[in-house]
């Protein structure tokens, strides 16, 4: 008797059709904002195939995965949508913003912080209850935002070419305290806290350069050459990925700034995010999405929309 075949067959018979239907396979997908089409495009990271769309309000701009929720900012509408990663559905639309721009997720997976450029604020969200939980004034044009790995501090770039970076104390996720500003050595664009908690990367909005800061002292540790500004940054363990949309590149660095790799991506690939073993960069004005390995090599590039401003990565069983 083929014992292996017998056991496999018996296991199959033991599962009813209903039970088989209830088996859900989780997969990593990229949620890509289709800025001109009022929806998110769901792209299977492993295959590059578009598996579904998630209808949203018009003009979804930025998107960030926080725990089991994707936070979508509709900057021009002054609204924020919450998308459940498990079902890939919009579960709540939040009002009370002027121009929501970008989101940083608290390590607890329950709270998030949204920069509001028009009101010059950082707004705390309670994602479990789907509501605004607090806010603090930080300065005009609050834009790119990053949170320390311990969830206690935010850095916020005040503008696309920021003269100042604001610091916010969030030791209580809903009790925000403005802790002042400091001036970077150039006009800053993006900010990214390294996973080790000891340094923060600050990219430039006006020159081919980036800076690495000591988080505690806010002192510049080193400055490094970069591709065309503005650059965007995302970090993972001992790797940092820096995208230049105008140059059409994603560079991989060590935490100390040493370059490891350079990948060519479509021009217009500005924003960049990392999660679940992938690096993703979407194409503003192009509608492309480019998926890279953690080594910084392009795995696939797909055309998914007319324009895609941002993308994040989530794990779901809804496709």
């Amino acid at each position: 008797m083929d014992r292996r075949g017998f056991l496999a067959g018996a296991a199959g018979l033991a599962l009813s059709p209903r039970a088989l239907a209830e088996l859900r396979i989780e997969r990593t997908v990229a949620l890509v904002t289709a800025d001109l089409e009022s929806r998110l495009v769901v792209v299977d990271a492993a295959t590059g195939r578009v598996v579904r769309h998630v209808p949203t309000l018009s003009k979804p701009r930025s998107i960030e995965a926080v725990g089991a929720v994707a936070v979508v900012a509709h900057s021009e509408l002054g609204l924020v949508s919450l998308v459940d990663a498990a079902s890939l559905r919009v579960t709540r639309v939040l009002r009370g913003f002027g121009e929501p721009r970008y989101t940083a997720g608290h390590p607890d997976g329950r709270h998030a912080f949204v920069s509001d450029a028009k009101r010059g604020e950082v707004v705390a969200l309670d994602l479990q209850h789907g509501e605004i939980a607090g806010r603090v004034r930080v300065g005009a044009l609050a834009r790119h935002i990053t949170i320390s790995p311990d969830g206690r501090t935010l850095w916020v770039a005040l503008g696309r070419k920021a003269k100042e970076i604001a610091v916010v104390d969030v030791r209580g996720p809903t009790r925000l305290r403005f802790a002042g500003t400091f001036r970077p050595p150039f006009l800053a664009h993006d900010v990214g806290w390294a996973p080790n908690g000891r340094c923060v990367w600050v990219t430039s909005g006006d020159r081919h350069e980036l800076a690495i800061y000591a988080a505690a002292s806010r002192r510049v540790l080193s400055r490094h050459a970069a591709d065309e500004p503005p650059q965007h940054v995302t970090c993972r363990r001992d790797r940092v990925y820096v995208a230049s949309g105008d140059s059409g590149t994603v560079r991989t660095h060590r935490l100390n700034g040493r370059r490891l790799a350079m990948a060519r991506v479509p021009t217009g690939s500005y924003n960049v995010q990392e999660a679940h073993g992938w690096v993703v960069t979407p194409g503003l004005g192009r509608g492309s999405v480019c998926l890279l390995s953690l080594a910084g090599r392009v795995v696939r590039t797909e055309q998914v929309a007319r324009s895609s401003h941002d993308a994040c990565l989530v794990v779901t069983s809804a496709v």
Side-chain angles (χ1 to χ4, degrees):
M1 175 185 291
D2 180 358
R3 181 175 176 83
R4 183 177 298 173
F6 172 82
L7 291 174
L13 290 172
L15 293 173
S16 66
R18 180 177 179 180
L20 287 169
E22 290 176 351
L23 285 176
R24 291 181 177 269
I25 300 174
E26 290 190 334
R27 67 182 74 183
T28 299
V29 297
L31 302 182
V32 187
T33 60
D35 313 342
L36 305 178
E37 298 160 64
S38 304
R39 64 188 185 183
L40 306 178
V41 184
V42 183
V43 180
D44 188 323
T47 65
R49 185 170 62 92
V50 174
V51 292
R52 63 181 289 182
H53 297 93
V54 179
T56 69
L57 297 172
S58 64
K59 299 179 180 178
R61 294 287 286 173
S62 72
I63 185 168
E64 184 83 15
V66 185
V69 176
V71 180
V72 183
H74 306 266
S75 301
E76 296 175 54
L77 303 182
L79 302 171
V80 168
S81 296
L82 304 183
V83 178
D84 176 55
S87 63
L88 295 181
R89 294 180 180 176
V90 175
T91 58
R92 192 70 61 94
V93 175
L94 305 181
R95 291 166 171 79
F97 303 89
E99 185 185 339
R101 295 298 306 190
Y102 291 96
T103 301
H106 193 280
D108 66 8
R110 172 179 171 174
H111 295 93
F113 305 94
V114 179
S115 59
D116 189 327
K118 186 174 183 178
R119 296 185 178 181
E121 295 179 334
V122 169
V123 182
L125 308 182
D126 183 332
L127 301 179
Q128 182 174 323
H129 293 99
E131 62 187 16
I132 290 176
R135 61 178 76 229
V136 67
R137 174 80 182 176
V138 297
L141 304 178
R143 193 177 172 96
H144 283 290
I145 184 169
T146 187
I147 190 167
S148 59
D150 62 9
R152 301 177 67 176
T153 309
L154 297 169
W155 283 21
V156 189
L158 301 181
R160 186 175 182 274
K161 296 181 178 181
K163 294 180 180 179
E164 293 185 313
I165 294 173
V167 180
V168 180
D169 184 328
V170 289
R171 296 180 195 184
T174 61
R175 298 188 301 276
L176 288 69
R177 184 180 67 85
F178 175 61
T181 62
F182 65 92
R183 286 181 172 265
F186 42 66
L187 299 182
H189 188 78
D190 198 7
V191 286
W193 215 295
N196 64 12
R198 295 192 295 271
C199 61
V200 185
W201 284 52
V202 177
T203 71
S204 176
D206 72 337
R207 65 187 68 180
H208 297 71
E209 191 175 359
L210 55 84
I212 303 174
Y213 274 81
S217 65
R218 304 176 199 167
R219 178 175 61 87
V220 175
L221 296 174
S222 57
R223 295 167 69 169
H224 303 268
D227 291 329
E228 290 282 345
Q231 311 97 12
H232 293 78
V233 61
T234 188
C235 306
R236 179 190 185 275
R237 294 183 185 174
D238 62 343
R239 295 289 185 274
V240 179
Y241 306 92
V242 180
S244 167
D246 287 346
S247 292
T249 59
V250 172
R251 292 190 181 270
T252 305
H253 300 253
R254 290 201 184 277
L255 293 184
N256 62 7
R258 185 167 72 85
R259 290 181 177 181
L260 297 175
M262 189 276 285
R264 290 288 178 186
V265 297
T267 56
S269 299
Y270 291 99
N271 287 312
V272 61
Q273 295 198 39
E274 178 280 327
H276 307 298
W278 293 93
V279 178
V280 62
T281 178
L284 181 63
R286 285 180 169 267
S288 61
V289 62
C290 189
L291 288 151
L292 298 89
S293 69
L294 295 181
R297 293 189 292 269
V298 174
V299 177
R300 59 182 52 85
T301 302
E302 306 291 340
Q303 188 71 28
V304 299
R306 284 184 285 161
S307 178
S308 48
H309 181 270
D310 206 358
C312 72
L313 293 148
V314 300
V315 174
T316 185
S317 58
V319 293

